[in-house]
């Protein structure tokens, strides 16, 4: 309980937080948690495409909220069996090329890209999307989680982000975008 934690010295409180990081519930985030979970449930069950940004000050629990929702959604049979989660981070995937490689690796289509020459990242992303379209759109859904969303939005040209948003809106392939930013 919280009152017991308040009585602990700072060092013990910090150790408690670190050791129970994976087990603790997010406090005061139940409505946000439920809203995201409902959105992901509709996405996995009905293929309802959506885009959402989770924003707040640094350290406010945005990423923890998203990971908690993903963990809970992953327990649902519909989600686990039909949704591929592509997690990208703006600091790690600093350009379109590294981002596309991570997407291809997660979707397991790297071998389809080998030996092909593309005129740009836009063409390469469209090719990856066409590979998804050739699959069974009734069962395959792709959830893109974009940590540090603002870094993706600040890229010159933003063609990758625009293309992902266009795909989500076109509903050709069920795609959902979940951005996390401060």
């Amino acid at each position: 309980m919280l009152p017991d934690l308040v009585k602990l010295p700072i060092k013990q409180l910090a150790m408690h937080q670190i050791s129970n990081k994976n087990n603790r519930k997010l406090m005061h985030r139940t409505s946000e948690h439920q809203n995201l979970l409902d959105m992901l449930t509709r996405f996995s069950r009905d293929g309802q495409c959506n885009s959402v940004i989770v924003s707040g000050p640094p350290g406010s629990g945005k990423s923890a909220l998203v990971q908690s929702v993903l963990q809970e959604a992953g327990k649902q049979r519909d989600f686990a069996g039909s949704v591929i989660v592509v997690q990208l981070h703006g600091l790690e995937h600093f350009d379109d090329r590294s981002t596309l490689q991570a997407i291809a690796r997660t979707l397991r289509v790297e071998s389809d890209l080998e030996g092909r020459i593309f005129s740009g990242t836009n063409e390469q992303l469209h090719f990856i999307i066409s590979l998804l379209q050739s699959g069974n759109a009734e069962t395959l859904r792709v959830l893109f989680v974009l940590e540090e969303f603002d870094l993706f939005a600040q890229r010159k040209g933003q063609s990758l982000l625009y293309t992902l948003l266009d795909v989500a809106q076109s509903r050709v392939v069920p795609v959902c975008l979940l951005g996390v930013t401060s």
Side-chain angles (χ1 to χ4, degrees):
M1 291 292 283
L2 188 59
D4 296 334
L5 293 177
V6 173
K7 295 176 187 176
L8 292 175
I10 298 293
K11 185 175 179 181
Q12 284 181 313
L13 179 61
M15 290 306 294
H16 176 79
Q17 291 291 81
I18 292 168
S19 64
N20 291 318
K21 185 176 181 180
N22 294 330
N23 296 330
R24 73 180 166 194
K25 296 278 184 191
L26 294 168
M27 298 177 63
H28 310 294
R29 296 285 182 240
T30 53
S31 64
E32 292 93 341
H33 186 276
Q34 193 59 49
N35 286 341
L36 283 175
L37 185 60
D38 290 346
M39 182 190 79
L40 293 182
T41 301
R42 287 190 305 273
F43 177 62
S44 65
R45 186 187 59 224
D46 306 327
Q48 183 179 357
C49 300
N50 224 328
S51 301
V52 66
I53 298 285
V54 177
S55 66
S60 62
K62 302 173 297 292
S63 296
L65 172 68
V66 169
Q67 292 308 313
S68 172
V69 169
L70 287 174
Q71 185 176 12
E72 189 170 335
K75 295 176 185 175
Q76 299 173 357
R77 187 172 45 102
D78 287 343
F79 189 89
S82 65
V83 177
I84 297 172
V85 180
V86 178
Q87 294 197 9
L88 304 169
H89 197 289
L91 292 172
E92 182 182 346
H93 305 102
F94 52 88
D95 62 2
D96 288 350
R97 182 183 172 127
S98 65
T99 304
L100 285 168
Q101 288 172 343
I103 292 170
R105 188 172 35 259
T106 304
L107 298 176
R108 297 187 176 130
V109 295
E110 289 173 300
S111 61
D112 295 314
L113 296 177
E114 289 177 8
R116 294 193 178 268
I117 299 172
F118 298 99
S119 63
T121 56
N122 218 11
E123 185 180 335
Q124 188 174 1
L125 182 60
H126 279 291
F127 180 74
I128 292 171
I129 297 301
S130 71
L131 291 174
L132 293 176
Q133 289 172 312
S134 65
N136 185 351
E138 294 299 314
T139 58
L140 179 66
R141 288 130 173 51
V142 182
L143 169 64
F144 289 93
V145 179
L146 304 172
E147 289 278 347
E148 301 294 339
F149 181 84
D150 54 310
L151 296 178
F152 288 98
Q154 292 172 5
R155 290 184 184 171
K156 186 178 180 180
Q158 303 172 1
S159 63
L160 179 84
L161 188 56
Y162 283 133
T163 304
L164 285 174
L165 289 167
D166 284 345
V167 170
Q169 291 302 312
S170 70
R171 301 177 195 268
V172 175
V173 175
V175 170
C176 183
L177 268 80
L178 177 54
V180 181
T181 187
S182 55

